[in-house]
Amino acid sequence: MAHSILIMFHCNQHTGYAIGSLEEVFKRAAIEAGFDQHNILWSYRKVFSPEVNVFAINYVCPDDTKKLKKVLKEHKVSTILAFDLRHPSPIIRTARKMGTTRVVAYWGASMSSLYQGFKLILRRCQWILQAHAAPDFFIFESDAMRKTGTHGRGIPSRRTCVIPLGVDTNIFFPAVAERYAQKLFSIPINRKIIIYSGHMEERKGLRVLMDAMLELERRNRLEPVHLLICGNKEHQSKPYEDMLSNSEAKNHVTFAGYRTDVPQLMRSAYLGTIASTGWDSFTMSSVEMLSSGLPLIVSELQGLKETIENGVCGFYIAPGDYHALASLWLQYIDDIELRERHSKASRERAERLYSIDAQVTRIARTLTPKPVFPNEIFRDRELEEHQ
């Protein structure tokens, strides 16, 4: 029986958003690393569509180690690739006992606060004392996220690499005069669409977007703008709709819900915005916007700001600064030449730095028994120079 790889997620099956994209990337990376497709196993906290190679394992729950043991034994799992796997972890101890030879942790969010001095020394001591319960290797999506591991948990830098998210440039691409969103949501064609796509958590800055729309109303500049919000489920949009309830701005905002047609919607947009106010990593939606040829305005936060080159394919704003955001929206609307120049630069940056094929290959290399550790293998020199 051939050896297998177990790809583990701490979330529920069918979570969607960026997890859906990563599932396909992880699958391709496993195949490129030499695993047969039939020997690629999956685990989630909860499973809604039971399949032969899909298991319900909550890897933060010690009680689920029995389930894990059974899977590892029956399928001869040699490698584990786990999303957001913390250190130390009981599943690593279990995996070692069951003969698993390689555990790779993929981190899509921050690990902990950054420490200095005595606290950092303690974290490094913890690493040494509990190394047997640590992953063999850590993948981070940005330099900021990597620093949370090396400076927040004392992880040796030689055990880490940065692999930015990749985008399929054949699916997300610019289009001339695309009117898909305008027709679908009955948005007047004279309005320029500003798009946000992603989670609706408070830290994602939806309130900042609403405040910027209200600011445009105060400036009497609402008419040329329409804000399209994608990603809300159930009643998640209500707090933000309430912010606009007594304003004209409510007629210039569309909450589109969770979408499967995001590429078409982005091709209909004029520019993109991610105005996060709390920690934000290197987001999938940001590289999708760049690949779609959208100038991108982002908060100057951690990994998020690594997405763009400020002043070349977009602009930074201070977190929460809706006045600056409103002004930048108008700047792009009033200066078509600027918008076109940044649009071209966005697409070029996505093609040059954020190829999904490169992402797959880099992850595949971390899954091999004896990967080469120097960080430059996993990261383009050009990417280093442009961050």
Side-chain angles (χ1 to χ4, degrees), residues 90-314:
I91 75 161
I92 296 178
R93 297 187 184 96
T94 300
R96 304 284 190 226
K97 291 177 182 178
M98 300 305 297
T100 299
T101 57
R102 185 148 187 82
V103 179
V104 177
Y106 183 100
W107 270 85
S110 61
M111 300 187 75
S112 64
S113 300
L114 300 183
Y115 295 112
Q116 295 179 347
F118 185 66
K119 285 187 176 181
L120 182 56
I121 292 173
L122 287 178
R123 288 291 187 176
R124 287 174 175 167
C125 289
Q126 181 188 43
W127 172 271
I128 294 171
L129 294 173
Q130 298 183 330
H132 62 287
D136 298 288
F137 206 68
F138 290 81
I139 300 171
F140 297 97
E141 292 176 347
S142 68
D143 283 323
M145 292 167 63
R146 182 189 187 200
K147 194 172 183 181
T148 65
T150 56
H151 291 66
R153 293 243 170 186
I155 298 171
S157 60
R158 68 180 183 278
R159 301 276 286 271
T160 70
C161 69
V162 175
I163 303 178
L165 289 168
V167 63
D168 190 335
T169 56
N170 294 316
I171 294 177
F172 289 90
F173 57 87
V176 178
E178 180 82 41
R179 300 296 184 192
Y180 175 85
Q182 287 84 345
K183 295 175 183 177
L184 185 64
F185 300 113
S186 299
I187 298 172
I189 60 173
N190 65 302
R191 295 181 187 173
K192 301 293 192 296
I193 293 177
I194 300 166
I195 192 168
Y196 166 83
S197 175
H199 291 286
M200 301 291 286
E201 300 169 20
E202 186 68 25
R203 68 179 178 85
K204 298 298 286 188
L206 275 299
R207 292 185 186 277
V208 181
L209 299 182
M210 300 305 109
D211 283 333
M213 291 300 290
L214 292 171
E215 176 65 16
L216 291 182
E217 183 174 0
R218 286 189 288 270
R219 298 186 192 184
N220 196 29
R221 292 296 310 274
L222 262 178
E223 187 51 40
V225 177
H226 199 96
L227 182 61
L228 180 61
I229 307 291
C230 303
N232 53 297
K233 296 181 179 180
E234 298 177 341
H235 304 293
Q236 291 178 327
S237 64
K238 189 177 186 308
Y240 311 112
E241 293 182 65
D242 289 345
M243 291 179 66
L244 307 177
S245 59
N246 297 317
S247 72
E248 176 61 24
K250 68 181 178 182
N251 298 318
H252 289 252
V253 178
T254 297
F255 290 92
Y258 182 78
R259 310 296 306 184
T260 59
D261 56 353
V262 172
Q264 295 96 313
L265 296 177
M266 287 191 179
R267 285 197 288 274
S268 306
Y270 189 74
L271 61 97
T273 299
I274 303 175
S276 301
T277 56
W279 168 272
D280 212 343
S281 59
F282 194 97
T283 63
M284 190 71 238
S285 60
S286 64
V287 292
E288 290 172 349
M289 290 176 187
L290 291 179
S291 186
S292 300
L294 298 181
L296 183 56
I297 302 170
V298 300
S299 297
E300 193 172 6
L301 285 171
Q302 297 98 13
L304 180 59
K305 69 179 182 181
E306 295 177 33
T307 311
I308 70 167
E309 188 173 358
N310 190 37
V312 175
C313 57

Side-chain angles (χ1 to χ4, degrees), residues 311-332:
V312 175
C313 57
F315 291 108
Y316 295 152
I317 59 166
D321 191 349
Y322 64 87
H323 294 283
L325 180 57
S327 295
L328 286 172
W329 283 350
L330 293 176
Q331 185 175 346
Y332 275 121

